[in-house]
C-alpha cells in the first residue's frame, strides 16, 4: 500500500466522459489498497477561455481579480471528479487550494507555494476517502486567492506530495512520458525511461512544457519521486531521478525548443564601461526578464553592437524602453525581431564529451539554417534561429544525434 499524489491535466479531464475515465482509474488504485490524493487542472481550454473573457473587458486586468477568475476553472473539475468517484462507490471529497491551506506569497498570477497544512487531507485519508484538490491555486496570508502561473497544477501536485511524504507523485497527461523531444514535432521521438532532475529542469526551462519548471525544482529540492504517465494508456512512463552511476549517461537526453522568443539589437553603442548596465538596467526596472545576451567586440574601438532576447510577450515593451535609453546613449540604431525561436540540446553526458557543439552547428549549416545567437552551459547548448526553421532544425538535430526510437521488430 502506497500513498500516491496523482495529477490529471486539462486534456485528461476535458469532458464528462474523460472525467469518468479518470475516476475509474483512481478507483483501481484505491481497490489495490493505495491512498490517493488527486490534483486536477481546469478542463482543457478553460483557462484560456477565462483569460479571453478578462481581456475582452480590460487590456490590463487587475492581477488579484484575475486570480479570482482563473481559480474557478479548477474548482469546476474538483467537484465533477468527486461526483464521478462517489458515483462509483468511492468516497471522495473536493477542496479548493485555500481550503487545504496551500499558502503562497502574494505575487498574483505567479505565486510561489510557501507551505501546506496537510492535516485535513490526512484526516480524510484515514477515513478512507480520496481527496481531490484544485491545482494551480493557493491563498496568501491575507486570504486572497492566488494562482501559480500556467501549468501550475504540476507544482501543486509535487508540493502536496512533499508535504504528505507521498511515495510517488504521478503526473498523468496526454503523452506516456517525457520524450527526447515534443512528439508533436518529431513523431518518432523516443520515450525516456528515466531523466535526471537536472536535465528535466533544463528541458522545462528551455521550453518543454510537459512539466512546469517549478514542479521540477520543488521535486528535486524535496526529493519527491516524480513520474510522468499517460492518462489514456498503461505503461511505466518516465521517472525523474537523481543522477547515479548505473545510468548510462546518454550524450544528449533531449531537445527542447521555445517559440516565445524575441530579440533586440542595439547597433553602434559607444563602447565604454557600463554599457550593459545602462542598456539593461531600465529593462530590468520594467520587470522584463532578459535571457541571452551578446556584446560584440568593437572593431573600430569606438562603438559596439549589443543583442539580447526577451519573452515575446514583453517584446514591444522592451523595444520601447531600449529605444529610449539607446537614444540617450547616442547609439546608431535599434533593431528587433520577434520571429525567432530557441533550440537547445540537453544532456548530462555533455559534461564529458567535446564536439557536440560542432556537430550541432554542422547539422544546422547543412540544412541552410543560420544561427543568430549561441549560449552554452555544462549540460546544454542553445541556439537562436529564425522561427521558420523550428521544425526542420529540431528534426535534423534529432536525426543527427540518433535520438529516435529503434525500429519495431
Ligand atoms: P497537461 O494538460 O496534462 O498538463 P501539457 O500540455 O501541459 O499537459 O503537457 C503535455 C504536452 O507536453 C504534450 O502533449 C507534448 O506535446 C508536450 N511536450 C513538450 N515537450 C515534450 C517532451 N519532451 N516530452 C513529452 N511531451 C512534451
Ligand atoms: N489550468 C492552468 C493552466 O492551464 C493550470 C494547469 O493546467 O496546470 O495553465
Ligand atoms: Mg501542463
Amino acid at each position: 500500500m502506497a500513498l500516491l499524489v496523482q495529477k490529471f491535466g486539462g486534456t485528461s479531464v476535458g469532458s464528462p466522459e474523460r472525467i469518468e475515465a479518470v475516476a475509474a482509474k483512481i478507483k483501481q488504485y484505491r481497490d489495490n489498497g493505495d491512498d490517493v490524493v488527486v490534483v486536477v487542472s481546469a478542463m482543457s481550454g478553460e483557462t484560456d477561455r477565462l483569460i479571453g473573457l478578462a481581456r475582452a473587458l480590460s487590456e490590463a486586468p487587475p492581477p488579484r481579480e484575475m486570480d479570482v477568475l482563473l481559480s474557478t476553472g479548477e474548482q469546476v473539475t474538483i467537484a465533477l471528479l468527486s461526483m464521478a468517484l462517489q458515483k462509483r462507490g468511492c468516497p471522495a471529497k473536493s477542496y479548493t487550494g485555500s481550503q487545504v491551506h496551500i499558502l503562497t506569497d502574494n505575487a498574483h498570477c505567479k505565486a510561489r507555494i510557501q507551505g501546506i497544512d496537510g492535516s485535513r487531507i490526512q484526516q480524510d485519508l484515514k477515513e478512507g476517502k480520496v481527496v481531490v484538490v484544485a491545482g494551480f491555486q493557493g491563498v496568501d496570508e491575507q486570504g486572497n486567492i492566488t494562482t501559480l502561473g500556467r501549468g501550475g497544477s504540476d507544482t501543486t501536485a509535487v508540493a502536496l506530495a512533499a508535504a504528505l511524504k507521498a511515495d510517488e507523485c504521478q503526473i498523468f497527461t496526454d503523452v506516456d512520458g517525457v520524450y527526447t523531444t515534443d512528439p508533436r514535432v518529431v513523431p518518432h521521438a523516443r520515450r525516456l525511461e528515466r531523466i535526471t532532475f537536472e536535465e528535466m529542469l533544463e528541458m522545462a526551462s528551455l521550453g518543454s512544457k510537459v512539466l512546469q519548471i517549478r514542479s521540477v525544482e520543488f521535486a528535486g529540492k524535496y526529493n519527491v519521486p516524480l513520474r510522468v504517465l499517460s492518462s489514456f494508456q498503461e505503461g511505466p512512463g518516465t521517472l525523474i531521478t537523481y543522477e547515479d552511476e548505473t545510468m548510462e549517461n546518454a550524450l544528449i537526453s533531449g531537445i527542447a525548443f521555445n517559440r516565445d522568443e524575441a530579440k533586440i539589437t542595439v547597433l553602434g553603442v559607444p563602447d565604454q564601461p557600463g554599457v550593459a548596465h545602462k542598456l539593461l538596467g531600465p529593462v530590468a526596472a520594467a520587470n522584463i526578464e532578459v535571457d541571452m545576451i551578446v556584446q560584440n567586440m568593437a572593431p573600430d574601438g569606438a562603438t559596439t553592437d549589443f543583442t539580447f532576447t526577451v519573452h515575446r510577450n514583453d517584446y514591444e515593451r522592451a523595444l520601447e524602453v531600449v529605444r529610449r535609453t539607446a537614444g540617450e546613449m547616442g547609439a546608431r540604431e535599434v533593431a528587433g525581431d520577434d520571429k525567432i525561436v530557441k533550440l537547445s540540446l540537453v544532456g548530462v553526458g555533455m559534461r564529458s564529451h567535446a564536439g557536440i557543439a560542432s556537430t550541432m552547428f554542422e547539422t544546422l549549416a547543412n540544412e541552410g539554417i543560420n544561427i543568430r545567437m549561441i549560449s552554452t552551459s555544462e549540460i546544454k547548448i542553445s541556439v537562436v534561429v529564425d522561427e521558420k526553421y523550428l521544425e526542420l532544425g529540431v528534426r535534423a538535430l534529432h536525426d543527427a544525434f540518433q535520438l529516435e526510437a529503434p525500429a519495431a521488430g
Side-chain angles (χ1 to χ4, degrees):
M1 197 179 111
L3 170 58
L4 304 173
V5 174
Q6 304 187 319
K7 179 255 173 179
F8 293 87
T11 314
S12 312
V13 293
S15 66
E17 295 72 30
R18 288 199 166 162
I19 291 175
E20 297 260 25
V22 166
K25 197 181 207 30
I26 294 166
K27 182 156 190 303
Q28 273 178 11
Y29 282 92
R30 279 292 304 145
D31 292 347
N32 270 336
D34 294 325
D35 279 335
V36 186
V37 175
V38 187
V39 173
V40 282
S41 292
M43 295 168 78
S44 57
E46 179 62 8
T47 307
D48 288 335
R49 188 185 74 88
L50 294 169
I51 292 172
L53 286 176
R55 294 252 163 86
L57 279 172
S58 161
E59 227 170 71
R64 182 189 181 279
E65 304 315 321
M66 205 58 194
D67 279 351
V68 174
L69 177 70
L70 294 189
S71 66
T72 62
E74 272 69 12
Q75 190 168 341
V76 170
T77 328
I78 53 169
L80 293 175
L81 180 59
S82 300
M83 289 175 196
L85 282 163
Q86 289 181 31
K87 192 173 86 176
R88 282 179 166 66
C90 185
K93 210 164 168 187
S94 68
Y95 290 107
T96 63
S98 76
Q99 284 177 316
V100 286
H101 305 118
I102 300 186
L103 186 72
T104 72
D105 61 19
N106 60 3
H108 283 291
C109 300
K110 49 175 184 220
R112 279 182 181 268
I113 296 179
Q114 293 179 325
I116 295 181
D117 171 10
S119 52
R120 194 163 181 180
I121 297 176
Q122 257 141 1
Q123 186 56 37
D124 285 329
L125 290 174
K126 243 188 241 154
E127 292 167 14
K129 295 192 180 96
V130 170
V131 181
V132 183
V133 180
F136 175 59
Q137 54 178 264
V139 63
D140 74 5
E141 264 181 358
Q142 272 72 49
N144 298 300
I145 296 175
T146 54
T147 64
L148 310 178
R150 297 307 302 266
S153 299
D154 297 335
T155 304
T156 306
V158 172
L160 275 170
L164 300 166
K165 302 199 169 46
D167 295 293
E168 194 163 277
C169 180
Q170 305 179 327
I171 307 289
F172 287 93
T173 181
D174 55 5
V175 272
D176 64 339
V178 178
Y179 275 70
T180 45
T181 194
D182 191 338
R184 286 185 213 202
V185 169
V186 181
H188 57 275
R190 176 169 48 88
R191 181 177 57 81
L192 301 166
E193 286 293 326
R194 312 217 287 182
I195 183 169
T196 66
F197 281 115
E198 211 182 350
E199 289 168 319
M200 194 62 237
L201 197 57
E202 286 285 2
M203 291 280 281
S205 312
L206 295 166
S208 299
K209 291 183 180 123
V210 58
L211 285 174
Q212 199 198 30
I213 304 169
R214 281 186 191 164
S215 72
V216 187
E217 271 170 10
F218 219 103
K221 192 164 161 198
Y222 295 99
N223 198 3
V224 177
L226 182 62
R227 195 184 287 277
V228 175
L229 302 135
S230 165
S231 295
F232 307 116
Q233 66 192 76
E234 296 295 314
T238 300
L239 185 67
I240 294 113
T241 58
Y242 289 110
E243 199 175 339
D244 69 37
E245 303 85 59
T246 61
M247 284 172 93
E248 24 90 51
N249 277 341
L251 212 51
I252 308 294
S253 287
I255 303 173
F257 53 82
N258 192 351
R259 300 176 201 268
D260 304 325
E261 303 270 336
K263 76 177 163 68
I264 293 176
T265 303
V266 189
L267 296 153
V269 202
D271 190 25
Q272 297 153 353
V275 168
H277 173 64
K278 269 190 210 144
L279 276 172
L280 295 182
V283 176
N287 240 327
I288 298 171
E289 228 173 276
V290 168
D291 179 19
M292 284 191 200
I293 304 171
V294 177
Q295 182 176 342
N296 286 342
M297 296 271 288
D300 56 2
T303 62
T304 183
D305 301 337
F306 194 90
T307 304
F308 63 93
T309 60
V310 293
H311 193 286
R312 219 176 266 189
N313 290 347
D314 293 327
Y315 174 63
E316 295 294 339
R317 239 163 23 97
L319 206 53
E320 220 180 278
V321 173
V322 170
R323 284 220 167 97
R324 214 175 310 130
T325 335
E328 288 161 12
M329 291 169 71
R332 192 170 72 243
E333 192 187 333
V334 176
D337 188 350
D338 64 349
K339 299 274 180 299
I340 57 155
V341 293
K342 182 165 71 177
L343 314 183
S344 309
L345 296 180
V346 175
V348 287
M350 250 184 242
R351 278 198 201 112
S352 47
H353 283 84
I356 292 174
S358 75
T359 308
M360 181 184 200
F361 303 154
E362 187 188 3
T363 306
L364 296 173
N366 287 343
E367 300 293 339
I369 301 173
N370 199 5
I371 299 172
R372 309 266 174 206
M373 294 171 88
I374 300 171
S375 121
T376 64
S377 79
E378 232 196 348
I379 65 162
K380 72 119 206 277
I381 306 171
S382 300
V383 297
V384 167
V385 302
D386 291 349
E387 184 179 68
K388 63 182 178 203
Y389 294 129
L390 184 135
E391 278 82 7
L392 177 64
V394 172
R395 285 179 196 143
L397 291 171
H398 203 270
D399 285 347
F401 288 96
Q402 299 174 336
L403 299 180
E404 70 276 10

